[in-house]
Amino acid sequence: MFSFLHSSDLHIGKRFGNLPEDLRGRLREARHGVIARLAGAAREHGAGVILLAGDTFDTETPTPAVLRQALGEMARNSPLRWVLLPGNHDSLLADQLWSAARGVVPDNVILATEAVPLPLGPDVILLPAPCTTRRPGRDLTEWMTGAATPDGAIRIGLAHGPIQEFSEDATATNVIAPNRAALAGLDYMALGDWHGLVAVDARTYYSGAPEPDRFKHDRPGQAMVVSIAGQGAMPTTTAVTTASFSWQTLHLPLLASEDGVEVLKAALPEPFARRQTLLRVALSGRARLNGRTAMISLLEQVAPDFAHLEIDTDLLGTDCESDDLETIDRAGALRDAADLLLAESLDEARSGDDRNVARQALIRLFSYCEAIDR
């Protein structure tokens, strides 16, 4: 039985420039820390080799500190062996990166920078397909089909890129044949690029990123433990959680008759998990004006508990009735303004954009007046 850990897309050194500065450092450190977590998962499950299917580094020019510290952490987790495949973010075009890596590579780290068979153990051969550029424009796994390996050897493919149109990069053109495992007689095809775990077929998997970096996939960071009894045997796979941060999208469809605050309270993550959670709350459906502002107020109150919190109200419609305007004022200039905005927000003769502007202005006015009353 040959067991190994399949991971990809660590993106070590990612800067997270769109997030608050105090959070960026924590997220960058989590990407470095995932090396130790992958090593721990490998040891726990009896795997002696860790295959990294591309994008170990976020850019083709990581700083010397990022490179040296990553390789140093892998060295500290010897006798585990690590195999690093160039991906589209850290492709072979990055001469400086791979030259520097060759100069300091530890004995337990293999740089899979050539499309040649690599022995991983007795009767186990790895067939890597390193990315030559960010967008090679061809299927780099084609060579695997004709690659000669010893009789009876387990054949494992290692590649980075999309299958068909299944890609993190909308402009990707290096499409991998979805049946490459069958064409090349592979016992397992370890893929990177897609940041969520996906089984393409029984022998072909995207491991997903071990530490998430966006809300897109909305699932915990994972890696795959793979065991193969021998050539031709079906691999057994086990997904293991490896992330320290959780990126979650909370979809909350609402009815105007519901108490949105209570629904929201029940749906929020438990307090003990919030410091390590980046949360996007997507409100949709309908809400009364006062209910909407109460939900936003609640989210603003709990936001400091989370690593990061975003509020998306693009799909949330707001219903306003005359008694809602009583909160603004019973009479006078503010009430006149509120009545005018309400009328404009409902005026079908106006454009959708104009009605939305009036609606948002009314919501803002309501929020201000409600805050003053408190």
Side-chain angles (χ1 to χ4, degrees):
M1 181 72 72
F2 180 71
S3 296
F4 60 94
L5 191 77
H6 166 203
S7 187
S8 71
D9 297 280
L10 276 64
H11 289 275
I12 297 171
K14 188 177 178 72
R15 294 183 175 87
F16 295 99
N18 61 325
L19 291 172
E21 186 174 355
D22 61 342
L23 179 58
R24 296 175 205 166
R26 294 179 61 202
L27 293 174
R28 285 195 295 268
E29 183 58 29
R31 313 208 77 69
H32 175 82
V34 81
I35 298 172
R37 293 194 294 278
L38 289 172
R43 285 191 291 265
E44 180 182 350
H45 292 272
V49 176
I50 298 174
L51 302 181
L52 300 181
D55 287 358
T56 301
F57 301 99
D58 188 58
T59 71
E60 295 180 340
T61 55
T63 66
V66 166
L67 173 62
R68 294 281 289 272
Q69 290 171 20
L71 294 178
E73 186 64 29
M74 293 175 192
R76 279 190 287 275
N77 282 282
S78 180
L80 289 172
R81 286 180 296 156
W82 304 74
V83 179
L84 276 61
L85 181 83
N88 65 319
H89 278 253
D90 52 10
S91 74
L92 288 174
L93 199 62
D95 295 332
Q96 181 179 347
L97 164 60
W98 296 108
S99 295
R102 290 186 192 98
V104 296
V105 64
D107 292 340
N108 65 325
V109 174
I110 300 169
L111 305 180
T113 55
E114 296 183 70
V116 296
L118 296 173
L120 292 181
D123 299 324
V124 181
I125 303 297
L126 180 70
L127 305 177
C131 285
T132 53
T133 65
R134 189 173 180 89
R135 297 187 179 89
R138 59 190 178 88
D139 185 353
L140 298 173
T141 69
E142 285 182 344
W143 82 276
M144 297 178 186
T145 298
T149 54
D151 291 342
I154 294 172
R155 290 164 62 91
I156 299 172
L158 182 65
H160 185 94
I163 282 184
Q164 296 176 344
E165 298 304 320
F166 194 73
S167 172
E168 287 289 332
D169 184 349
T171 62
T173 55
N174 51 319
V175 178
I176 296 171
N179 59 341
R180 180 60 64 197
L183 292 173
L186 302 178
D187 296 291
Y188 185 83
M189 171 64 101
L191 293 174
D193 176 57
W194 191 249
H195 289 195
L197 191 155
V198 173
V200 178
D201 59 39
R203 296 185 184 275
T204 306
Y205 284 82
Y206 285 95
S207 64
E211 184 69 38
D213 59 2
R214 65 194 74 179
F215 292 112
K216 179 176 181 179
H217 296 285
D218 205 24
R219 62 190 305 168
Q222 296 176 310
M224 295 287 293
V225 177
V226 185
S227 297
I228 306 174
Q231 185 188 51
M234 196 61 67
T236 61
T237 59
T238 303
V240 293
T241 299
T242 54
S244 63
F245 280 92
S246 174
W247 295 61
Q248 300 179 24
T249 299
L250 174 59
H251 293 282
L252 209 62
L254 299 165
L255 298 174
S257 58
E258 287 182 296
D259 186 336
V261 170
E262 291 304 313
V263 173
L264 182 56
K265 285 180 179 178
L268 286 172
E270 293 295 330
F272 69 87
R274 294 178 183 179
R275 186 174 186 274
Q276 295 300 111
T277 299
L278 290 87
L279 182 67
R280 175 176 172 267
V281 181
L283 302 174
S284 61
R286 308 295 301 181
R288 288 282 300 274
L289 186 56
N290 59 348
R292 178 191 179 111
T293 57
M295 286 187 290
I296 300 302
S297 177
L298 171 61
L299 290 172
E300 290 172 347
Q301 290 173 27
V302 301
D305 297 339
F306 290 86
H308 181 68
L309 190 146
E310 296 180 5
I311 306 170
D312 180 358
T313 59
D314 288 349
L315 298 180
L316 180 64
T318 304
D319 295 336
C320 183
E321 299 183 9
S322 58
D323 57 342
D324 293 322
L325 302 187
E326 299 296 324
T327 300
I328 296 174
D329 208 344
R330 293 182 179 276
L334 282 179
R335 179 56 184 266
D336 290 343
D339 287 334
L340 178 60
L341 290 171
L342 177 59
E344 290 181 353
S345 71
L346 300 174
D347 186 356
E348 295 293 334
R350 293 176 175 271
S351 69
D353 287 344
D354 286 346
R355 293 199 304 274
N356 187 56
V357 168
R359 189 177 302 112
Q360 294 303 317
L362 180 58
I363 292 169
R364 183 69 59 87
L365 179 60
F366 183 91
S367 300
Y368 287 156
C369 293
E370 196 172 45
I372 292 170
D373 287 344
R374 287 200 297 266

